[in-house]
Amino acid sequence: MAGSNEINANEAKKVVPLHTWILISNFKLAYNMLRRPDGTFNRELAEFLDRKVSANTVPVDGVYSFDVVDRSTSLVNRVYRCAPKEDNTGQQLGAGVIELEKPLSTTEIVPVVIFFHGGSFTHSSANSAIYDTFCRRLTGLVQGVVVSVNYRRSPEHRYPSAYEDGWEALKWVHSRSWLLSGKESKVHVYLAGDSSGGNIAHHVAHRAAMSNVEVLGSILLHPLFGGEQRTESEMKLDGKYFVKLQDRDWYWRAFLPEGEDRDHPACNIFGPRGSSLSGLNFPKSLVVVAGLDLVQDWQLAYVEGLKESGHDVKLLFLEKATIGFYFLPNNDHFYTLMEEMRNFVRS
Amino acid sequence: MGPTPYNSSNSSSSACSSSTKPPPPQPPDQMDHLLAGAGYKVRSNDLTQVAERLEHLETVMVKSSPVDISDIGNDAVYYNPTDLASWVDSLLTELNPNGSGSGSGSGSGFVSGSGPAYVSDPVMNDMNNVYGEFGQQVVTPIEEDVSIRLVHVLMTCAEAVQRGDLSLAGLLIDDLQGLLGRVNSGCGIGKVGSFFVDALSRRVVNSPQNGVVQVDLSAYENEILYHHYYEACPYLKFAHFTANQAILEAFDGQDCVHVIDFNLMQGLQWPALIQALALRPGGPPLLRLTGIGPPSLDGRDSLREIGLKLAELARSVNVRFAFRGVAATRLDDVKPWMLQVSPKEAVAVNSIMQLHKLLGPGGPRGPPVDLVLDWIRDLNPRILMVVEQESNHNQPEFLDRFTESLYYYSTMFDSLDACTAQPEKTLAELYIQREICNVVCCEGSARVERHEPLVRWRERLTGAGFAPLHLGSNAFKQARMLLTLFSAEGYSVEENEGCLTLGWHSRPLIAASAWQAIPKPSVVTTGR
């Protein structure tokens, strides 16, 4: 297996800007300490290390946020909204009062993006600084609302916990009167996620399609898929750009039910145990693949699978992108992605 | 110089207009704003060096076995992950104790000195210090299907009060009483709403311009409420626990130690410290405890009674112990000589929810808090432990205080819902209600609950000549273990740049920080 004992910093250094290299390398090395060889996870140290931020009702760059607890599941959703435009009548009754009585709009369509953060099902939270920052950007970009879901993580909570939490979040969002918009007065829902979040977004979209719950589109940012077979990209890129194949394997073992392998349908969507998506009212998808991500063959297979099932899918292949390219706005791929996401949601 | 290893060929995007020339370098001492958005503080000047250290760390990790690496994750103690440079160095020390010093950059290929090559980001330019900035309105998980209307009318009423329109406020209070009748007053804003309506109506009915003076409870009544608050939720336990941990570490190797407790109350914090000292490898020190508390009005000397009980306990575990009670109504009435600190002792000052009471109007000698911090510094303590409510209830505008406290206490009440034991829960609620009343109804020197957030206390304490002592991953781990004793799943401990906070869901509610005094420039120690 390539790269297991070599120092591979040299490859990544050449394609990734300094800040990104520092950020992703820091995660990579810290995460090495958190994954124990016996399959358990050092959750205490992980929570200690994770940089978190509080919600903030004072708009920053036009976006404010607040947390809402769904009492029935005790899941916390962090909601991001654009600050209202200057209003001459309005005095705000103290900064911090959230206008939750009215719909977002009765005339315009305001997209609501349900976002599932990444972290290989194991790391990070909705209030992690990197994801809070990302969601704020996304909110401003789509000029709508982003709901970031704090789903339960593995190995403490394995499949299907994360999918169930995603499903609850979708139902919760659909039932909020203050998220309605447009003349037909409904919640205009999109799903989005990076890495494991992308995987969750797919499964929630699938369940929505089977249950006739409307999802207008799905954005998958280098989603986490896999399978038993080793693909060419996995072998070629193993250990080269921040990710080792054995790490990927660890996370699947932590997420999938004990004793299962990577051909489980949660992981290998169009594999031997996957179910068909043909004929379902599956939402249109934007799948973003980073050209230096070792998982890309599985992501490309996913795109093919969607096409063969007759579904609308757009592939955005970013040749020189590594995982996590979208955390910092310091590279072309970042801006390309932002543009594509904005168009996807507005079309 | 060889080719730059970091990809400096990324052109500026279409979002930047000047795409050909490199961005102006940031002032080197400034914190890098890109990494700040990810929660890390790295000086722009240090970026390359941090990158080199990370590369070195990877080299070392590759040579270690996975078992070794995860053992280090289990056993080592870490501090302040926000300071990325020192975090990387601490990892290097753990993994490579005999390794070479810093900057073994030969052949690593990192560019040094020419500045990082990155695209300047138009979106991020204003993001410096956004999070944690004083004035941030931290909001709370709210229950939006209950009482949105209630919140609205509460806010309108508070705003009327601020404007001085008491007749409108009075009408709105009638509205509020009506709403309370229809709302689910069992939990969340519905529950705490009734306390806020009560507080507002007191203020409206009784209001001289200086606000209401709160009726004093007897010391006994105070103690009952405090005790039940202690039992019903983990906030005080977390405070005591975290403080004891830090004090224990600060007393390491010291034979004579002196703890000064700014609010002895029932001395609930100290049995655990006494026992921990008893079990200390090398044996316990001589422990002196000075407990400050209000004078007893009912003839009992309650300070002395507590002292006797603690002495009893200390004797039973063979810890040499001496207690002294200092009766004072206010902390700024305490004079340092009353504490009888000896120069040979290691001193710990323990302030659990007390310093904020000193933020009221100052006397002729200046703001009380500055005076007290000054004499604390004179004591030269090895540790000053500060635990405070994590909220800003000391803003000059009434409406701002009202809003912030509404969300703060509504979160706290939410967390209390997890406790079902009675009468703990009801009495704990009464304890909290008194705080609410003070924040909402009182003004001037009567308003003592002047909570300020951690970011403010950091400024204040740094300005007063104290340096931070970081609370580490061991304290964090143990605080989390404490929480598992509570069945409620919503409590969360977070690490915040060397301090620990305890909150409900994602909202921190109390913050614990440790400090040491920077000795004053001219130290005069004549025996006096």
Side-chain angles (χ1 to χ4, degrees), chain B residues 194-270:
Chain B
S194 65
F195 290 128
F196 277 86
V197 172
D198 177 70
L200 271 176
S201 77
R202 279 180 210 230
R203 188 173 175 124
V204 165
V205 164
N206 294 328
S207 164
Q209 276 313 96
N210 332 329
V212 166
V213 176
Q214 215 171 352
V215 172
D216 272 338
L217 293 182
S218 74
Y220 179 64
E221 288 165 326
N222 251 335
E223 279 173 27
I224 301 263
L225 293 187
Y226 177 90
H227 189 96
H228 287 89
Y229 177 68
Y230 179 88
E231 291 296 336
C233 47
Y235 303 107
L236 284 177
K237 293 189 187 89
F238 166 79
H240 293 171
F241 192 88
T242 307
N244 285 347
Q245 170 91 14
I247 292 172
L248 201 57
E249 284 178 29
F251 281 168
D252 192 31
Q254 299 295 316
D255 293 325
C256 293
V257 304
H258 184 175
V259 176
I260 299 168
D261 187 359
F262 274 5
N263 186 28
L264 185 69
M265 262 301 188
Q266 295 150 16
L268 294 174
Q269 180 172 349
W270 305 119

Side-chain angles (χ1 to χ4, degrees), chain A residues 25-42:
Chain A
S25 297
N26 177 50
F27 287 144
K28 175 180 87 175
L29 297 176
Y31 291 178
N32 283 345
M33 281 201 309
L34 302 176
R35 294 185 305 266
R36 298 202 191 96
D38 64 358
T40 60
F41 185 71
N42 192 341

